[in-house]
Amino acid sequence: METILSAIDQICQEKKLSKEKVLEAIEQALSSAYRKDFGNKQQNLKVIFDPASGKMKVFDEKTVVEDILEEEQTDKEESLEEESSLEEGEEKKRFNPKTEIQISEVLQDPTWKNLDKKAKKIKVGDLVQKKLEVPSEFGRIAAQTAKQVIIQRLREAERDNIFEKYKKLEGTVVTGIVQRKERQSFLIDLSDTTAILPPPEQVRQENYRSDQKIKVYLLSVEKMSRGPEIIVSRRHPDILKELFKIEIPEVANGTVKIKNIAREAGFRSKIAVYTEEESIDPIGACIGQRGVRIQTIINEIGGEKIDIIEYDENIEKFIANALSPAKISSLKIKEEDKSALVKIKKEQLSLAIGKDGQNVRLATKLTGWKLEVQEDKEEKKEDKKEEKKKKSKEKTVKKKTTKKKNKK
């Protein structure tokens, strides 16, 4: 029977399934074939197959239940009355001859054996088996049924394996290859299955080409009738967090932590980082020597700009950091509605607001505070006063120098 064992091993390698899963599929197929040729509907068939010898054992397996009186089985009117008296949501327990057997019937037939070999006698609730004979070889129809069951069970086992594998990876980044565009979605090959990159999870500024190698964020993995449905994303903010873990060792080992991410996919992102280690610069660790680390991540997300911001528990400092590269003049906090009035010099104002309000919008998302940015007019007045003072000083100095020259 080396051919059976080698066939099982080959299936295990090709389908990446365990030997137990393949044997289970074979046993289910043999059970279906036996029922087709020799069994009946009242049997709960269990097959044990030995791949080394190629032999199989067939059993009828049932749970022992209390005896059911004849009146209970025949008196339909009484049964209907009982059912109508049951409270809503309650169900009357029915005897299932396929999976259950009455205690008196078991005790009268010594061929029924208790699955619990330690048990001295059979009682209600026990699981019992009766060995069945296999009269002859299976017929053509039964063999065909067995083949179909094996194919179906192996396919189901393969789908379950893929589902379990990717369900564990949900919320991480994986590498895939763009297969093709189907309607508005892109199909991404993950080597052993195909994922879907739907329009809402695409970045408009990116062009996806066939055979292009890309990293995608595993957004969701759900069981479907045709197999697991895997949805991936290129615009989810957490794709950046996962890329930071891949490229930056300090983030991967937890020395540098990502507090929050604000992202406008395809344009710009702000990432707040912090560390409890005084000897480590969290921003420097993320940027890397000559910006090598951050540039690798930027290249991976199609050239999107990334601002690394240092997180601070002091909200005033954190807001000031979030609005960088602009420098603020003053800040007024309103705790009750989590808002802040930020005043900035005129020359820094456009930098703080950003193109189409992007910088202040991202800073708002990052901090979780509503930010109102205004020009600092008071500082403007003070600057004018300072300029007048300087000019008046310059005039007095000039007058003194001219007087000295005239005296000479």
Side-chain angles (χ1 to χ4, degrees):
M1 290 293 129
E2 286 183 16
T3 50
I4 295 175
L5 287 168
S6 59
I8 290 170
D9 288 335
Q10 191 178 345
I11 291 167
C12 291
Q13 287 174 4
E14 286 177 4
K15 304 287 183 181
K16 294 179 182 178
L17 298 170
S18 65
K19 195 172 278 186
E20 290 76 19
K21 289 271 186 185
V22 177
L23 278 171
E24 190 184 323
I26 292 168
E27 286 171 355
Q28 284 174 338
L30 291 170
S31 176
S32 298
Y34 184 92
R35 180 174 279 109
K36 197 84 177 173
D37 274 4
F38 316 115
N40 61 65
K41 291 179 180 179
Q42 302 302 323
Q43 291 172 331
N44 184 32
L45 296 175
K46 299 289 176 186
V47 173
I48 296 172
F49 176 70
D50 180 13
S53 64
K55 292 180 180 179
M56 71 172 192
K57 292 177 182 178
V58 185
F59 298 93
D60 187 5
E61 191 174 284
K62 298 183 189 295
T63 303
V64 180
V65 295
E66 290 178 353
D67 287 341
I68 296 170
L69 299 173
E70 285 183 24
E71 305 89 79
E72 291 178 2
Q73 294 181 50
T74 56
D75 198 345
K76 291 181 181 179
E77 289 180 12
E78 194 178 325
S79 176
L80 287 167
E81 282 177 20
E82 280 180 17
E83 281 182 25
S84 61
S85 65
L86 287 171
E87 289 181 17
E88 195 177 339
E90 244 185 281
E91 278 187 24
K92 190 176 189 298
K93 194 178 176 183
R94 296 178 184 277
F95 174 69
N96 185 350
K98 183 180 178 180
T99 58
E100 295 174 337
I101 187 167
Q102 296 180 56
I103 184 74
S104 59
E105 194 180 336
V106 173
L107 296 174
Q108 286 168 15
D109 187 351
T111 57
W112 288 101
K113 304 293 180 187
N114 200 330
L115 277 178
D116 184 5
K117 291 178 182 179
K118 291 179 182 178
K120 291 179 181 179
K121 60 178 182 177
I122 295 171
K123 61 184 185 298
V124 173
D126 285 349
L127 204 62
V128 292
Q129 274 186 348
K130 179 197 275 192
K131 192 176 179 182
L132 303 173
E133 294 299 321
V134 184
S136 61
E137 289 184 2
F138 296 126
R140 185 178 60 83
I141 295 169
Q144 199 173 350
T145 304
K147 184 183 176 182
Q148 288 171 352
V149 170
I150 286 176
I151 292 165
Q152 186 185 339
R153 296 299 181 200
L154 289 178
R155 194 179 287 129
E156 284 173 7
E158 194 177 2
R159 286 170 179 173
D160 287 344
N161 272 11
I162 290 168
F163 172 78
E164 286 166 17
K165 175 187 173 181
Y166 287 99
K167 193 68 181 175
K168 288 175 186 174
L169 293 172
E170 208 173 52
T172 64
V173 165
V174 293
T175 304
I177 295 168
V178 179
Q179 277 186 338
R180 66 182 187 277
K181 190 175 183 180
E182 201 169 87
R183 294 180 183 176
Q184 296 301 311
S185 298
F186 284 89
L187 300 181
I188 311 297
D189 180 19
L190 301 179
S191 76
D192 55 359
T193 189
T194 303
I196 303 164
L197 180 63
E201 299 305 328
Q202 296 167 20
V203 178
R204 287 183 184 179
Q205 289 69 30
E206 291 182 338
N207 293 316
Y208 308 112
R209 306 177 309 276
S210 292
D211 299 324
Q212 180 188 351
K213 198 175 182 181
I214 59 168
K215 282 187 168 66
V216 289
Y217 179 78
L218 278 177
L219 192 63
S220 68
V221 182
E222 299 296 333
K223 263 189 180 178
M224 306 297 281
S225 57
R226 292 184 178 181
E229 184 186 67
I230 302 168
I231 305 296
V232 294
S233 175
R234 282 284 294 176
R235 67 180 301 115
H236 198 282
D238 283 349
I239 192 173
L240 293 174
K241 188 185 282 185
E242 294 304 310
L243 288 172
F244 268 65
K245 285 180 185 177
I246 294 166
E247 299 296 336
I248 300 156
E250 290 86 347
V251 175
N253 63 28
T255 308
V256 173
K257 293 173 184 176
I258 294 172
K259 186 67 180 177
N260 205 3
I261 297 171
R263 188 183 185 206
E264 290 190 1
F267 298 100
R268 192 174 179 182
S269 293
K270 283 182 182 281
I271 300 178
V273 297
Y274 77 103
T275 182
E276 292 171 2
E277 301 285 334
E278 291 181 8
S279 58
I280 294 173
D281 172 20
I283 295 174
C286 292
I287 292 170
Q289 202 170 19
R290 295 180 182 177
V292 173
R293 289 177 174 180
I294 196 68
Q295 195 56 52
T296 305
I297 297 168
I298 289 169
N299 293 342
E300 193 59 59
I301 54 170
E304 184 181 310
K305 291 179 182 178
I306 300 175
D307 296 340
I308 311 292
I309 309 298
E310 187 169 3
Y311 171 77
D312 202 300
E313 287 185 0
N314 183 318
I315 192 62
E316 292 185 13
K317 286 182 181 178
F318 185 35
I319 289 170
N321 292 345
L323 283 166
S324 65
K327 292 178 181 178
I328 69 168
S329 300
S330 65
L331 188 66
K332 283 183 181 179
I333 296 287
K334 290 181 183 178
E335 291 278 357
E336 59 273 11
D337 60 350
K338 286 190 80 175
S339 66
L341 178 63
V342 185
K343 292 193 175 181
I344 295 175
K345 286 183 180 180
K346 188 180 180 181
E347 59 270 20
Q348 292 277 310
L349 197 62
S350 60
L351 201 62
I353 295 168
K355 189 181 178 182
D356 299 323
Q358 192 183 67
N359 194 59
V360 70
R361 195 163 56 246
L362 286 170
T364 300
K365 284 182 187 176
L366 193 72
T367 58
W369 283 64
K370 189 181 176 182
L371 306 180
E372 188 184 343
V373 176
Q374 290 181 359
E375 184 186 344
D376 193 352
K377 291 180 180 178
E378 288 180 12
E379 196 162 319
K380 195 176 180 181
K381 288 176 184 177
E382 285 178 13
D383 287 346
K384 283 181 179 179
K385 284 179 183 179
E386 286 293 323
E387 282 178 21
K388 283 181 182 179
K389 282 181 183 179
K390 281 182 182 179
K391 283 179 182 179
S392 62
K393 280 181 182 179
E394 285 173 5
K395 283 180 182 178
T396 52
V397 169
K398 281 181 182 179
K399 282 179 182 179
K400 285 178 181 179
T401 50
T402 50
K403 281 179 181 180
K404 283 179 182 178
K405 284 178 182 180
N406 290 333
K407 281 179 182 180
K408 287 178 180 180

